[in-house]
Amino acid sequence: MSEFHHISVLLDECIDGLNVKPDGVYVDGTLGGAGHSFQIAARLSTGRLIGIDRDPVALAAAAKRLEPYKDRVTLVHSNFCEIASVLRDLQIEGVDGILLDLGVSSPQLDDGARGFSYMADAPLDMRMDQSAAFCAKDVVNGYSESELIRIIRDYGEEKFAARVARIICERRAEKPIETTSELADIVYQAIPAAARHKENQHPARRTFQAIRIEVNGELDSIPPSLEEAIRRLAPGGRAAVITFHSLEDRITKQTFTNLASGCTCPPNFPVCVCGKKPTVKILNKKPILPSEEEMEVNPRSRSAKLRGAEKL
Protein backbone atom coordinates (compact mmCIF):
# COMPACT_ATOMS: atom_id res chain seq x y z
CA MET A 1 0.00 0.00 0.00
CA SER A 2 1.36 3.41 -0.95
CA GLU A 3 1.81 6.18 1.60
CA PHE A 4 -1.27 8.39 2.00
CA HIS A 5 0.01 11.71 0.68
CA HIS A 6 -2.44 14.29 -0.60
CA ILE A 7 -1.99 17.82 -1.98
CA SER A 8 -4.89 19.91 -0.72
CA VAL A 9 -6.76 21.77 -3.44
CA LEU A 10 -7.80 25.44 -3.10
CA LEU A 11 -6.31 25.42 0.39
CA ASP A 12 -5.99 29.17 1.00
CA GLU A 13 -9.34 29.85 -0.62
CA CYS A 14 -11.07 27.31 1.65
CA ILE A 15 -9.50 28.66 4.81
CA ASP A 16 -10.42 32.21 3.83
CA GLY A 17 -13.94 31.13 2.97
CA LEU A 18 -14.48 29.42 6.33
CA ASN A 19 -13.33 32.53 8.20
CA VAL A 20 -11.86 30.40 11.00
CA LYS A 21 -12.28 31.77 14.54
CA PRO A 22 -9.88 30.62 17.29
CA ASP A 23 -12.74 29.52 19.55
CA GLY A 24 -14.94 28.06 16.79
CA VAL A 25 -16.09 24.51 16.12
CA TYR A 26 -15.38 23.18 12.62
CA VAL A 27 -16.15 19.99 10.75
CA ASP A 28 -14.07 18.56 7.93
CA GLY A 29 -16.54 16.02 6.55
CA THR A 30 -14.07 14.51 4.07
CA LEU A 31 -10.83 14.53 6.02
CA GLY A 32 -8.56 12.79 3.51
CA GLY A 33 -4.92 13.63 4.14
CA ALA A 34 -5.93 16.43 6.56
CA GLY A 35 -4.29 19.23 4.57
CA HIS A 36 -7.26 21.55 5.05
CA SER A 37 -7.81 20.32 8.60
CA PHE A 38 -4.19 21.01 9.55
CA GLN A 39 -4.63 24.65 8.61
CA ILE A 40 -7.95 24.88 10.46
CA ALA A 41 -6.52 23.27 13.60
CA ALA A 42 -3.49 25.57 13.50
CA ARG A 43 -5.82 28.56 13.77
CA LEU A 44 -7.74 27.25 16.79
CA SER A 45 -6.99 28.00 20.44
CA THR A 46 -10.00 26.96 22.51
CA GLY A 47 -11.90 25.75 19.46
CA ARG A 48 -12.45 22.23 18.18
CA LEU A 49 -12.10 20.39 14.89
CA ILE A 50 -14.15 17.30 14.02
CA GLY A 51 -12.60 15.26 11.20
CA ILE A 52 -14.77 12.66 9.44
CA ASP A 53 -13.73 10.13 6.81
CA ARG A 54 -15.07 6.79 5.60
CA ASP A 55 -11.57 5.55 4.72
CA PRO A 56 -9.65 4.08 7.71
CA VAL A 57 -6.36 4.55 5.83
CA ALA A 58 -7.07 8.27 5.51
CA LEU A 59 -8.00 8.52 9.18
CA ALA A 60 -4.74 6.89 10.25
CA ALA A 61 -2.73 9.27 8.06
CA ALA A 62 -4.72 12.25 9.32
CA ALA A 63 -4.15 11.30 12.96
CA LYS A 64 -0.41 11.31 12.34
CA ARG A 65 -0.47 14.64 10.53
CA LEU A 66 -2.68 16.30 13.15
CA GLU A 67 -0.64 15.01 16.11
CA PRO A 68 0.62 18.54 17.03
CA TYR A 69 -3.01 19.62 17.53
CA LYS A 70 -4.49 16.44 19.00
CA ASP A 71 -5.83 18.33 22.02
CA ARG A 72 -8.29 20.18 19.78
CA VAL A 73 -9.09 17.46 17.20
CA THR A 74 -11.62 14.60 17.23
CA LEU A 75 -11.47 12.04 14.41
CA VAL A 76 -14.48 9.91 13.48
CA HIS A 77 -14.77 6.94 11.10
CA SER A 78 -18.00 7.74 9.30
CA ASN A 79 -19.50 9.16 6.11
CA PHE A 80 -20.14 12.91 5.81
CA CYS A 81 -23.80 12.09 5.14
CA GLU A 82 -23.96 10.96 8.79
CA ILE A 83 -22.89 14.36 10.07
CA ALA A 84 -26.05 14.78 12.16
CA SER A 85 -25.50 11.57 14.10
CA VAL A 86 -21.76 12.27 14.48
CA LEU A 87 -22.43 15.68 16.05
CA ARG A 88 -25.25 14.26 18.16
CA ASP A 89 -22.96 11.55 19.53
CA LEU A 90 -20.37 14.22 20.36
CA GLN A 91 -23.09 16.37 21.97
CA ILE A 92 -22.35 19.30 19.69
CA GLU A 93 -25.34 21.49 18.88
CA GLY A 94 -24.02 23.99 16.36
CA VAL A 95 -20.79 24.51 14.44
CA ASP A 96 -19.06 27.51 12.89
CA GLY A 97 -17.87 25.93 9.67
CA ILE A 98 -18.16 22.79 7.57
CA LEU A 99 -15.83 21.74 4.74
CA LEU A 100 -16.63 19.05 2.17
CA ASP A 101 -14.03 18.00 -0.41
CA LEU A 102 -16.06 15.70 -2.64
CA GLY A 103 -14.97 12.78 -4.79
CA VAL A 104 -12.02 10.41 -4.69
CA SER A 105 -8.73 11.52 -3.14
CA SER A 106 -5.33 11.38 -4.82
CA PRO A 107 -3.99 8.66 -2.48
CA GLN A 108 -6.94 6.43 -3.30
CA LEU A 109 -6.26 6.88 -7.01
CA ASP A 110 -2.52 6.44 -6.60
CA ASP A 111 -2.78 3.23 -4.58
CA GLY A 112 -3.31 0.81 -7.47
CA ALA A 113 -4.47 -1.94 -5.13
CA ARG A 114 -7.63 0.05 -4.30
CA GLY A 115 -8.97 -0.54 -7.81
CA PHE A 116 -9.94 3.07 -8.55
CA SER A 117 -7.55 3.58 -11.45
CA TYR A 118 -7.45 2.25 -14.99
CA MET A 119 -3.68 2.90 -14.90
CA ALA A 120 -2.88 -0.08 -12.65
CA ASP A 121 -3.90 -3.73 -12.75
CA ALA A 122 -5.84 -4.59 -9.58
CA PRO A 123 -9.03 -6.32 -8.44
CA LEU A 124 -12.17 -4.32 -9.25
CA ASP A 125 -12.86 -2.64 -5.93
CA MET A 126 -13.31 1.19 -5.77
CA ARG A 127 -14.65 1.20 -2.20
CA MET A 128 -13.79 4.34 -0.25
CA ASP A 129 -14.76 2.44 2.90
CA GLN A 130 -13.13 -0.97 2.63
CA SER A 131 -15.34 -2.37 5.35
CA ALA A 132 -18.31 -2.07 2.97
CA ALA A 133 -19.38 -5.25 1.18
CA PHE A 134 -20.48 -3.74 -2.16
CA CYS A 135 -17.70 -3.07 -4.69
CA ALA A 136 -17.06 -2.36 -8.37
CA LYS A 137 -16.97 -6.06 -9.24
CA ASP A 138 -20.59 -6.32 -8.11
CA VAL A 139 -21.62 -3.47 -10.41
CA VAL A 140 -19.71 -4.69 -13.47
CA ASN A 141 -20.81 -8.30 -13.18
CA GLY A 142 -24.19 -7.95 -11.51
CA TYR A 143 -25.99 -4.96 -13.02
CA SER A 144 -28.29 -5.44 -15.98
CA GLU A 145 -27.32 -3.92 -19.32
CA SER A 146 -29.92 -1.17 -18.88
CA GLU A 147 -28.61 -0.34 -15.39
CA LEU A 148 -25.05 -0.16 -16.71
CA ILE A 149 -26.15 2.16 -19.51
CA ARG A 150 -27.86 4.43 -16.97
CA ILE A 151 -24.91 4.85 -14.63
CA ILE A 152 -22.26 5.11 -17.37
CA ARG A 153 -24.38 7.69 -19.21
CA ASP A 154 -25.56 9.68 -16.17
CA TYR A 155 -22.54 9.45 -13.86
CA GLY A 156 -19.79 9.20 -16.47
CA GLU A 157 -21.40 11.42 -19.10
CA GLU A 158 -20.21 8.86 -21.64
CA LYS A 159 -21.95 9.23 -25.00
CA PHE A 160 -21.02 5.67 -25.95
CA ALA A 161 -22.58 4.24 -22.77
CA ALA A 162 -24.77 1.78 -24.65
CA ARG A 163 -21.80 0.33 -26.55
CA VAL A 164 -19.72 0.06 -23.38
CA ALA A 165 -22.53 -1.65 -21.46
CA ARG A 166 -23.24 -4.09 -24.29
CA ILE A 167 -19.63 -5.21 -24.58
CA ILE A 168 -19.29 -5.52 -20.80
CA CYS A 169 -22.29 -7.86 -20.81
CA GLU A 170 -20.88 -9.86 -23.73
CA ARG A 171 -17.51 -10.33 -22.04
CA ARG A 172 -18.88 -11.23 -18.62
CA ALA A 173 -21.10 -13.88 -20.23
CA GLU A 174 -17.86 -15.68 -21.12
CA LYS A 175 -16.30 -15.21 -17.67
CA PRO A 176 -16.57 -12.71 -14.79
CA ILE A 177 -14.67 -9.44 -15.20
CA GLU A 178 -12.25 -9.40 -12.27
CA THR A 179 -9.66 -6.65 -12.73
CA THR A 180 -9.27 -2.99 -13.61
CA SER A 181 -7.12 -3.89 -16.62
CA GLU A 182 -9.82 -6.16 -18.02
CA LEU A 183 -12.44 -3.45 -17.64
CA ALA A 184 -10.19 -0.73 -19.09
CA ASP A 185 -9.47 -2.91 -22.13
CA ILE A 186 -13.17 -3.62 -22.65
CA VAL A 187 -14.03 0.08 -22.56
CA TYR A 188 -11.13 0.90 -24.87
CA GLN A 189 -12.45 -1.58 -27.42
CA ALA A 190 -16.01 -0.27 -27.06
CA ILE A 191 -15.11 3.36 -27.84
CA PRO A 192 -14.84 4.01 -31.61
CA ALA A 193 -11.24 4.52 -32.74
CA ALA A 194 -11.89 8.05 -33.98
CA ALA A 195 -13.26 9.09 -30.58
CA ARG A 196 -10.37 7.44 -28.71
CA HIS A 197 -7.78 9.63 -30.39
CA LYS A 198 -9.57 12.91 -29.73
CA GLU A 199 -8.72 12.83 -26.02
CA ASN A 200 -5.53 13.15 -24.04
CA GLN A 201 -6.82 10.73 -21.41
CA HIS A 202 -7.70 7.05 -21.49
CA PRO A 203 -11.23 6.47 -22.86
CA ALA A 204 -12.05 4.36 -19.77
CA ARG A 205 -11.88 7.45 -17.51
CA ARG A 206 -15.59 8.25 -17.68
CA THR A 207 -16.74 4.65 -17.15
CA PHE A 208 -14.45 4.24 -14.16
CA GLN A 209 -15.79 7.50 -12.71
CA ALA A 210 -19.36 6.30 -13.17
CA ILE A 211 -18.78 2.96 -11.48
CA ARG A 212 -16.90 4.60 -8.60
CA ILE A 213 -19.78 7.03 -8.03
CA GLU A 214 -22.27 4.16 -8.02
CA VAL A 215 -20.22 2.00 -5.64
CA ASN A 216 -19.87 4.82 -3.10
CA GLY A 217 -23.26 6.47 -3.57
CA GLU A 218 -21.48 9.78 -4.05
CA LEU A 219 -24.12 11.90 -5.77
CA ASP A 220 -27.28 10.79 -3.99
CA SER A 221 -25.86 11.82 -0.62
CA ILE A 222 -24.87 15.38 -1.58
CA PRO A 223 -28.22 17.26 -1.31
CA PRO A 224 -29.39 15.78 2.03
CA SER A 225 -25.87 16.01 3.45
CA LEU A 226 -25.52 19.67 2.46
CA GLU A 227 -28.96 20.48 3.84
CA GLU A 228 -28.14 18.75 7.13
CA ALA A 229 -24.77 20.50 7.28
CA ILE A 230 -26.48 23.89 6.88
CA ARG A 231 -28.97 23.01 9.62
CA ARG A 232 -26.04 22.31 11.94
CA LEU A 233 -24.36 25.66 11.28
CA ALA A 234 -24.72 28.42 13.84
CA PRO A 235 -25.87 31.81 12.45
CA GLY A 236 -22.93 33.28 10.56
CA GLY A 237 -21.35 29.84 10.18
CA ARG A 238 -20.04 28.88 6.76
CA ALA A 239 -20.04 25.86 4.48
CA ALA A 240 -17.33 25.35 1.85
CA VAL A 241 -17.69 22.64 -0.80
CA ILE A 242 -15.04 21.55 -3.30
CA THR A 243 -16.20 19.57 -6.34
CA PHE A 244 -14.23 17.89 -9.10
CA HIS A 245 -16.71 17.23 -11.88
CA SER A 246 -19.76 18.89 -13.36
CA LEU A 247 -22.27 16.53 -11.75
CA GLU A 248 -21.08 17.33 -8.22
CA ASP A 249 -20.85 21.03 -8.95
CA ARG A 250 -24.33 21.18 -10.49
CA ILE A 251 -25.89 19.45 -7.49
CA THR A 252 -24.01 21.67 -5.02
CA LYS A 253 -24.98 24.84 -6.87
CA GLN A 254 -28.64 23.83 -7.04
CA THR A 255 -28.76 22.84 -3.37
CA PHE A 256 -27.24 26.16 -2.28
CA THR A 257 -29.62 28.04 -4.60
CA ASN A 258 -32.64 26.26 -3.10
CA LEU A 259 -31.46 27.02 0.43
CA ALA A 260 -30.86 30.68 -0.47
CA SER A 261 -34.30 31.10 -2.04
CA GLY A 262 -37.26 32.56 -0.20
CA CYS A 263 -40.92 32.42 -1.15
CA THR A 264 -41.81 29.88 -3.84
CA CYS A 265 -45.43 30.98 -4.28
CA PRO A 266 -46.62 31.77 -7.84
CA PRO A 267 -46.03 35.45 -8.77
CA ASN A 268 -49.79 36.11 -9.00
CA PHE A 269 -50.37 35.22 -5.32
CA PRO A 270 -51.20 38.43 -3.37
CA VAL A 271 -49.49 37.14 -0.20
CA CYS A 272 -47.01 34.40 0.61
CA VAL A 273 -48.63 31.17 1.75
CA CYS A 274 -45.60 28.86 1.55
CA GLY A 275 -43.73 30.49 4.42
CA LYS A 276 -40.35 29.53 2.97
CA LYS A 277 -37.47 31.67 4.17
CA PRO A 278 -33.89 31.63 2.87
CA THR A 279 -31.49 29.86 5.26
CA VAL A 280 -28.19 30.82 3.63
CA LYS A 281 -26.46 33.59 1.75
CA ILE A 282 -24.38 32.39 -1.20
CA LEU A 283 -20.85 33.73 -0.83
CA ASN A 284 -19.73 33.41 -4.43
CA LYS A 285 -22.21 33.31 -7.32
CA LYS A 286 -19.55 31.81 -9.56
CA PRO A 287 -17.30 29.02 -8.29
CA ILE A 288 -13.77 29.85 -7.19
CA LEU A 289 -11.21 28.12 -9.41
CA PRO A 290 -7.56 27.20 -8.82
CA SER A 291 -4.92 29.70 -9.85
CA GLU A 292 -2.62 29.05 -12.78
CA GLU A 293 0.21 28.51 -10.28
CA GLU A 294 -1.75 25.86 -8.37
CA MET A 295 -2.73 24.03 -11.54
CA GLU A 296 0.90 23.95 -12.61
CA VAL A 297 2.03 22.48 -9.28
CA ASN A 298 -0.96 20.12 -8.95
CA PRO A 299 -2.53 19.22 -12.33
CA ARG A 300 -5.33 17.31 -10.59
CA SER A 301 -6.63 20.62 -9.27
CA ARG A 302 -7.64 21.72 -12.78
CA SER A 303 -11.22 20.52 -12.46
CA ALA A 304 -11.74 21.75 -8.88
CA LYS A 305 -14.43 24.30 -8.02
CA LEU A 306 -15.19 25.87 -4.65
CA ARG A 307 -18.61 27.12 -3.59
CA GLY A 308 -19.48 28.69 -0.25
CA ALA A 309 -22.55 29.69 1.72
CA GLU A 310 -23.16 31.45 5.05
CA LYS A 311 -25.95 30.58 7.49
CA LEU A 312 -28.46 33.39 8.01
Side-chain angles (χ1 to χ4, degrees):
M1 181 177 294
S2 62
E3 182 182 354
F4 203 102
H5 176 68
H6 179 61
I7 301 174
S8 298
V9 172
L10 292 163
L11 179 57
D12 293 338
E13 293 84 350
C14 282
I15 300 303
D16 289 345
L18 288 172
N19 191 29
V20 179
K21 299 181 293 186
D23 60 348
V25 179
Y26 296 87
V27 177
D28 186 341
T30 47
L31 187 62
H36 296 100
S37 276
F38 186 90
Q39 294 299 325
I40 294 171
R43 287 162 171 76
L44 301 179
S45 54
T46 58
R48 188 176 182 187
L49 169 69
I50 314 301
I52 303 171
D53 206 288
R54 59 165 66 175
D55 187 345
V57 178
L59 281 173
K64 185 176 180 181
R65 187 167 190 179
L66 293 169
E67 177 71 19
Y69 305 113
K70 63 181 180 180
D71 61 321
R72 65 195 76 166
V73 173
T74 301
L75 302 184
V76 182
H77 179 215
S78 187
N79 191 321
F80 70 80
C81 66
E82 301 293 334
I83 189 170
S85 61
V86 169
L87 293 177
R88 187 165 52 246
D89 290 346
L90 295 172
Q91 299 183 320
I92 296 174
E93 290 296 323
V95 300
D96 298 288
I98 293 175
L99 171 66
L100 297 178
D101 184 352
L102 303 178
V104 67
S105 68
S106 294
Q108 290 168 334
L109 285 173
D110 293 339
D111 185 355
R114 299 291 295 269
F116 284 100
S117 177
Y118 46 81
M119 301 296 289
D121 188 26
L124 275 173
D125 190 333
M126 303 192 193
R127 292 171 298 169
M128 292 182 183
D129 180 354
Q130 292 185 298
S131 67
F134 186 64
C135 69
K137 183 179 175 182
D138 299 314
V139 174
V140 172
N141 292 287
Y143 276 27
S144 68
E145 185 172 341
S146 62
E147 288 174 317
L148 287 172
I149 291 172
R150 176 185 61 80
I151 67 165
I152 295 170
R153 179 195 63 220
D154 294 350
Y155 296 166
E157 299 180 293
E158 173 58 76
K159 65 180 179 179
F160 299 107
R163 288 172 61 107
V164 172
R166 175 172 56 80
I167 295 179
I168 285 174
C169 292
E170 289 173 357
R171 293 287 185 89
R172 76 186 189 192
E174 300 169 5
K175 70 177 188 66
I177 300 167
E178 305 275 356
T179 69
T180 52
S181 290
E182 289 179 79
L183 180 60
D185 181 64
I186 288 168
V187 179
Y188 184 87
Q189 297 301 324
I191 304 297
R196 282 183 224 145
H197 301 305
K198 285 182 180 179
E199 299 189 50
N200 295 323
Q201 294 177 294
H202 196 290
R205 176 178 57 88
R206 290 181 295 273
T207 296
F208 270 65
Q209 172 183 293
I211 295 170
R212 186 203 83 216
I213 288 172
E214 177 69 11
V215 167
N216 297 289
E218 294 175 37
L219 298 183
D220 292 342
S221 62
I222 295 175
S225 299
L226 276 181
E227 290 165 5
E228 188 58 47
I230 296 298
R231 276 193 287 272
R232 292 287 168 167
L233 285 174
R238 292 185 172 188
V241 183
I242 303 171
T243 63
F244 284 89
H245 57 74
S246 59
L247 299 173
E248 291 173 341
D249 182 60
R250 196 177 307 140
I251 293 171
T252 300
K253 178 183 178 182
Q254 188 58 56
T255 302
F256 277 168
T257 299
N258 291 342
L259 292 170
S261 300
C263 174
T264 57
C265 295
N268 60 341
F269 274 32
V271 295
C272 173
V273 295
C274 73
K276 184 176 183 294
K277 302 289 185 184
T279 56
V280 302
K281 173 180 68 176
I282 294 174
L283 296 175
N284 46 299
K285 291 187 177 180
K286 291 187 177 181
I288 297 172
L289 306 178
S291 65
E292 290 292 333
E293 292 79 9
E294 178 171 2
M295 289 189 287
E296 188 172 333
V297 172
N298 180 17
R300 285 180 177 169
S301 71
R302 290 184 180 278
S303 57
K305 294 180 180 180
L306 172 65
R307 293 186 184 273
E310 183 177 290
K311 182 73 172 286
L312 296 175

